[in-house]
Amino acid sequence: PSMMRCRAGMEARPRSRASVLGEAADREQLDRELPPIVASDRDAGAIAATRANAERAGVDDAIETIERSVSDVGPPAGTEAGGPGWVLTNPPYGQRIGDADKDLRDLYARFGTVCRDRFPGYRVGLLSADRKLTGQTGLAFPAKPAFATDNGGIKVGLMITT
């Protein structure tokens, strides 16, 4: 008789208190196991925008924001040396007024050095509009981006280390 019904009677009953508490405990455990998320930039305005965006998204308590240059970046406190982890960056692309070629080449090269020296075992994702600048990092990126998109009207690709 129940073969013709969409749901059997047990499926339609409310969940038990034990199952709800179990699910809540699972979520609490998941929250404790999330890796640290640290956002940094040398520009105070970028940090303020990051904090405001995180607050609007309701995740401001999950993201640590620090004003610092790429030369001062290191793994989050309390994490194991050698990863695993991710370093993700959206550096300047060199397409806006004031972006000097040499300064950007130096920035990308410094970023690569910091990743190799301080983040062994981490994967690196870099949003880039210029393959030559990406090459300045000296990191092992594949020939093609993981995906391509527009960022503020600029065509960019997400490069992920192999």
Side-chain angles (χ1 to χ4, degrees):
S2 67
M3 289 175 43
M4 301 305 288
R5 288 189 227 155
C6 290
R7 290 189 204 158
M10 291 294 288
E11 292 174 316
R13 288 190 182 162
R15 296 183 314 170
S16 71
R17 182 174 190 276
S19 71
V20 172
L21 290 175
E23 184 178 320
D26 289 345
R27 286 185 184 172
E28 185 177 314
Q29 181 66 25
L30 179 63
D31 287 344
R32 282 195 304 265
E33 293 177 2
L34 289 176
I37 300 172
V38 180
S40 63
D41 198 296
R42 71 177 186 169
D43 182 339
I47 291 298
T50 299
R51 288 179 179 145
N53 289 337
E55 187 174 340
R56 275 194 303 279
V59 296
D60 51 316
D61 60 339
I63 300 173
E64 179 184 4
T65 53
I66 304 170
E67 185 180 338
R68 63 183 172 191
S69 72
V70 69
S71 296
D72 296 325
V73 172
T79 61
E80 292 184 30
W86 281 86
V87 175
L88 301 170
T89 188
N90 182 13
Y93 307 138
Q95 306 210 358
R96 302 212 196 285
I97 295 173
D99 288 341
D101 285 344
K102 182 180 181 331
D103 289 343
L104 285 180
R105 285 193 310 268
D106 291 349
L107 174 67
Y108 278 68
R110 182 67 187 139
F111 174 74
T113 299
V114 166
C115 287
R116 282 188 303 279
D117 292 350
R118 299 184 192 157
F119 295 93
Y122 282 66
R123 301 280 306 271
V124 177
L126 183 139
L127 201 59
S128 177
D130 185 327
R131 191 72 182 136
K132 288 181 184 175
L133 284 174
T134 303
Q136 292 295 316
T137 66
L139 299 173
F141 290 111
K144 293 186 179 182
F147 75 87
T149 188
D150 283 356
N151 188 10
I154 299 171
K155 293 187 182 309
V156 296
L158 178 64
M159 306 303 292
I160 299 175
T161 54
T162 53

